[in-house]
Amino acid sequence: MGSSSLNQSTSGSSLGEILEKILDKGVVIAGDISIALADVELLTIKIRLVVASIDKAKEMGIDWWESDPNLSSKAKAEKELKDAQQKEEEVHTRMLLEQNKLLMERLSKLEEKL
Amino acid sequence: MENDGILLFCITNELNNDIFLIHGMDGLGKLYSIENSGLFAIVGNVDLAQYGEEAMAEKGEDIEWLKAKAVMFMDIILKINSLSSMIPMKFLTIFTAEERVKNIITENYELFVHNFEKINKREELSVKMYCDEKKYKEKVMGDEIVNFEKSLVGKPKGAAFFLKKKFDGELEDKIQSRICDLANEFAENLKSFAAEMRSNKILAKEITEISTPMILNCAFLVDIDKQEQFATKIDELKGYYESNGFMIELSGPWPPFSFCE
């Protein structure tokens, strides 16, 4: 590991570090808007719950969101790949048809000559 | 605008005009200051349709929303911190009128002044330590384990089983206590380079997003001109730790989040 250096932007700091500081630290003054924000512990529980319910759902065979391109990046990528392949096939078929047509024309010309 | 709220980022005791070039939350206008008795509240407008009580009742539960806004808020706070000494506020302290912000300064004036005395020319550095217990056990306790296993040779199966159980229990306690001592020793070594030290909560893996468990989370208030020495001291210490299953993370400088009351 390299030597310890100090970073000064959020790009170099972990999200955990940011959440810990701004949710649990800083001076607390009652603002005019009353906002019930989660602290880091509550946030941890919430993340755990989300993960646990996803795992539980999968265990029960519920995983429809994984194949929905609007909800899953994997499904989206798969759909894009499928679309691209389909388009390529269409182009290929069209080219074959064109070629076929030209060959037929040439064939009939040759047949006429005979 | 009528539907705008005033989000308070921090209090400063000096004014650097470059602060007014920084964009507020969601890029809504630039930051501005509200002055009272020589202290400046650095604020920015927010749309109450998004940050009002009703909207926040739902948003406060939305982890993705919270993450995005937290990063945005911290980014602005860090930009201000690079320009001026500051007392950072808790995330989403929102007011509806400038007059209210002025009152806040009056009500907390002595506290703010006291904080500024404490944080003068200092910043917060964060040190987190993680430990892979399995690796530590292999590296440090390996010989002890091998010796114990040798001592079992020739012992009746039943006796060996109970001896092993006892040994494993004691070994586990020993590892826990040594790891704890090593972490404390590390923090103690750094303390002399800092004006103050705070032990913060150990964060869970879900928040750190690091699979190795955290064993130490400390904030140090360090004089700006001692920060390099502090980092060098960490480099000096970390060789032993890193080769024995520990991971050390130094971050900052942060605004004095852990040291303002």
Side-chain angles (χ1 to χ4, degrees), chain A residues 18-34:
Chain A
I18 296 172
L19 292 174
E20 177 204 11
K21 289 198 164 30
I22 70 164
L23 295 176
D24 288 0
K25 303 275 181 285
V27 174
V28 180
I29 283 173
D32 294 337
I33 309 285
S34 148

Side-chain angles (χ1 to χ4, degrees), chain A residues 6 8, chain B residues 11-14 81-87 112-125 193-196 220-230 253-256 259-260:
Chain A
L6 301 164
Q8 253 180 330
Chain B
I11 305 287
T12 68
N13 58 355
E14 56 190 359
N81 190 52
S82 69
L83 298 167
S84 165
S85 179
M86 65 134 95
I87 299 171
F112 290 154
V113 170
H114 166 72
N115 277 323
F116 277 119
E117 277 167 14
K118 186 164 79 173
I119 62 171
N120 186 32
K121 293 187 180 130
R122 290 170 177 156
E123 282 173 316
E124 180 171 328
L125 299 183
F193 293 88
E196 263 187 58
F220 295 87
L221 186 65
V222 183
D223 287 9
I224 290 173
D225 58 12
K226 278 193 184 160
Q227 286 180 7
E228 279 307 314
Q229 272 176 280
F230 187 88
W254 300 96
F259 299 96
C260 290

Side-chain angles (χ1 to χ4, degrees), chain A residues 1-4 6-7 10 13 15-17 20-23 25-27 29 31-34 44 46 48, chain B residues 53 61 67 75 87-88 90-91 94 96 100 126 128 200 204 206-207 217 235 238 242 251-252 254 257:
Chain A
M1 228 172 139
S3 62
S4 299
L6 301 164
N7 57 64
T10 46
S13 35
L15 183 65
E17 180 101 56
E20 177 204 11
K21 289 198 164 30
I22 70 164
L23 295 176
K25 303 275 181 285
V27 174
I29 283 173
D32 294 337
I33 309 285
S34 148
T44 307
K46 280 184 182 176
R48 267 184 204 159
Chain B
E53 272 171 39
E61 302 274 314
K67 283 179 185 172
D75 209 28
I87 299 171
K90 191 181 154 94
F91 184 41
I94 302 172
T96 47
R100 293 274 301 123
S126 192
K128 292 176 166 46
N200 289 331
E206 286 82 358
I207 294 291
N217 182 14
D235 284 339
K238 77 177 179 188
E242 287 186 347
S251 72
W254 300 96
F257 272 101

